[in-house]
Amino acid sequence: MDLHLELDPRRKVASLEQALRAAIVEHRLEPGTRLPPSRGLAADLGLARNSVAEVYARLIGEGRLEARVGSGTWVRGVPEPAAGARVDRSTRFDLDLRGGLPDASGFARSAWGRAVARALAEAPAAAFAYGAPEGALELRRALAEYLARTRGVVTGAEDVVVTHGFGELLSLVARALAARGSRRIAVEAYGHASHREVLAAAGLDPVPVALDADGLVVERLAGLGVDAVLVTPAHQFPTGVPLSARRRAALGEWARASGAVVIEDDYDGEFRFDGRAIGAFQALAPSQTVYGGTASKSLSPALGIGWGVVPSTLRDEVLAQRRLSGSATDALSQLALAALVAAGDYDRAVRGARLRYRARRERFERLIADGLPGTRVAGLEAGLHCLLELPDGVGEADVERAGAAIGLRYGGLAGYAADAVTAGSRPPTMVVGYGAPPEHRFDRAVAAVIASVEAARTGLA
């Protein structure tokens, strides 16, 4: 294998040792990387083979390399961080209960495999060329039918744009709005910080709007000077409340009267557990609404497929931004997803996931009631997360710290706030995602939640 190393011609052997050590410390050579044989590296660098062998031996002695009999020399371990450096422990969490993450072990492998086989067998030669920026027609047709049938979305294939998840859709729409002169966009007071960052990167100023038990306080949109609003009406993330019928009507009226654009993030709209159907807001104002969804919760984030239903008044501008970005969604995955939807396997995957996550939500509430008496689980019975209201005197930061100490990753509600005023407006509450742990580790994950709250309550965090 080739290896890029910069050597000082006046001190080649010493600089080789320094260069290899630096490459390991800086993670340019990751653990498990096989190094070139000493003879080959010596020839490349114009050194004696013994000199290279001595350098390897010294690094083996330091524990940075290891020699495997008959298999060569390999990078062994991760070196110590520099003094005062911040250690990123994000990869050390054993249990991840962040809100909105699905169970990766539940991916419908067999159904997806069949869909891929069908897509490859039936795809015309043109499918393997550069595709249209709006996505494969087969998938747009399938999604238009599916969204109309299951979410009440008013759409045809011509309105659907396939993207790399909701994030890309949001970026494309935000850049299109900025290109036409928009400068401010309303956002819910609690939500994904990454979404606010995407909007700001596109040139829009996110303006937080308060939430209450009925969702976004729509009356406050008037007078803000915004040209658009980003909402999660079916299941607000992360507070868990739906936008009430009265507020939905008011939002539609505001959008039509002001000419503003509503960006609807329907991130888990299919997962409602209490029997009450909450359809997409888009049906109330289809000419003013960009509807967005993904396959991340129902299938897997690894597919990287999202979609938007974009009104004709904005569609050309969104596609222009897509062309400028130079990106395109994997055509073969699009055709496979279209085949999955057409065969009814996507519906089956959604129903199966809905049953699993409903059972998890119910089990979470039972375990919390037994392990933390008096602690309330809040939020709509839907989706992949809920809220855990903390006992008096227990802070979110203390619980986060106690959780991290035992390998549990989750966060407090304040971490989702758009500003400091919002962050201090509610009692301490944890956002608990019950979707990600595989089934055999779910009880352990909930036990870790209970332990983290107890440690914070007793002052052990």
Side-chain angles (χ1 to χ4, degrees):
M1 59 177 291
D2 288 336
L3 187 62
H4 174 72
L5 297 169
E6 295 184 1
L7 304 187
D8 184 341
R10 297 167 299 179
R11 38 191 297 275
K12 281 189 173 183
V13 176
S15 62
L16 171 62
E17 182 176 341
Q18 292 170 358
L20 283 172
R21 185 180 291 109
I24 297 169
V25 169
E26 295 166 8
H27 294 277
R28 286 181 282 115
L29 287 176
E30 293 286 353
T33 301
R34 184 179 182 178
L35 296 185
S38 58
R39 183 188 302 275
L41 185 58
D44 288 345
L45 299 178
L47 294 172
R49 179 187 177 187
N50 287 345
S51 297
V52 174
E54 289 173 7
V55 169
Y56 279 5
R58 282 194 289 271
L59 294 176
I60 289 170
E62 293 178 10
R64 301 182 189 277
L65 299 180
E66 64 175 324
R68 302 178 186 175
V69 178
S71 185
T73 305
W74 301 71
V75 178
R76 181 178 183 181
V78 180
E80 308 78 18
R86 181 179 178 274
V87 180
D88 180 9
R89 301 183 183 275
S90 62
T91 58
R92 301 187 184 180
F93 291 102
D94 187 43
L95 297 167
D96 197 340
L97 268 69
R98 286 175 294 166
L101 299 181
D103 178 6
S105 69
F107 179 56
R109 295 171 185 256
S110 297
W112 182 254
R114 292 193 300 269
V116 170
R118 283 197 301 274
L120 287 173
E122 298 171 5
F128 300 96
Y130 291 106
E134 60 267 36
L137 179 59
E138 294 88 344
L139 180 56
R140 291 187 288 116
R141 284 173 174 163
L143 286 173
E145 182 276 331
Y146 175 80
L147 295 173
R149 172 168 52 84
T150 64
R151 303 296 298 136
V153 175
V154 178
T155 184
E158 67 280 3
D159 301 317
V160 178
V161 177
V162 183
T163 63
H164 292 293
F166 181 78
E168 191 197 18
L169 174 68
L170 182 62
S171 177
L172 294 173
V173 173
R175 297 205 309 265
L177 290 172
R180 62 163 56 170
S182 298
R183 291 294 174 263
R184 288 160 63 85
I185 181 171
V187 297
E188 294 164 325
Y190 288 93
H192 282 294
S194 61
H195 288 174
R196 297 190 292 269
E197 291 167 359
V198 166
L199 296 171
L204 301 180
D205 180 21
V207 181
V209 179
L211 297 161
D212 61 18
D214 289 329
L216 183 80
V217 183
V218 176
E219 306 85 76
R220 299 192 183 182
L221 292 173
L224 291 180
V226 297
D227 299 302
V229 58
L230 171 62
V231 291
T232 50
H235 184 211
Q236 204 284 322
F237 186 86
T239 65
V241 298
L243 191 64
S244 69
R246 181 178 62 82
R247 293 267 177 87
R248 283 174 167 245
L251 181 60
E253 292 171 6
W254 171 80
R256 285 187 291 270
S258 64
V261 173
V262 177
I263 305 173
E264 177 179 10
D265 181 2
D266 196 28
Y267 71 100
D268 65 359
E270 297 128 320
F271 300 121
R272 185 72 189 260
F273 309 143
D274 60 2
R276 292 183 296 162
I278 298 181
F281 164 81
Q282 187 263 5
L284 298 179
S287 63
Q288 304 297 136
T289 305
V290 175
Y291 171 92
T294 77
S296 297
K297 308 296 187 295
S298 51
L299 288 177
S300 169
L303 299 180
I305 297 180
W307 48 81
V309 175
V310 183
S312 59
T313 53
L314 194 59
R315 185 175 183 274
D316 288 346
E317 291 159 283
V318 167
L319 292 179
Q321 293 298 325
R322 189 81 191 275
R323 293 186 185 94
L324 288 174
S325 72
S327 65
T329 308
D330 169 22
L332 293 180
S333 292
Q334 291 186 63
L335 294 176
L337 181 55
L340 196 78
V341 174
D345 286 331
Y346 188 76
D347 282 79
R348 281 185 280 275
V350 169
R351 286 197 298 271
R354 187 186 299 130
L355 291 172
R356 289 197 305 275
Y357 294 135
R358 181 173 65 187
R360 287 189 180 197
R361 170 63 181 255
E362 293 170 353
R363 182 156 183 76
F364 180 80
E365 292 189 17
R366 291 196 302 270
L367 292 171
I368 291 296
D370 293 339
L372 291 173
T375 303
R376 178 171 175 259
V377 176
L380 189 70
E381 291 184 17
L384 282 70
H385 79 280
C386 60
L387 301 183
L388 181 64
E389 298 178 354
L390 296 175
D392 292 342
V394 178
E396 294 174 8
D398 291 334
V399 175
E400 287 182 30
R401 187 162 49 250
I406 57 175
L408 173 63
R409 187 180 191 184
Y410 71 142
L413 184 60
Y416 296 88
D419 53 35
V421 173
T422 300
S425 64
R426 296 196 178 206
T429 301
M430 302 304 292
V431 179
V432 185
Y434 45 79
E439 196 62 39
H440 68 281
R441 305 186 72 195
F442 183 71
D443 284 9
R444 177 185 170 193
V446 181
V449 170
I450 294 170
S452 68
V453 176
E454 287 290 3
R457 181 157 52 186
T458 57
L460 299 178

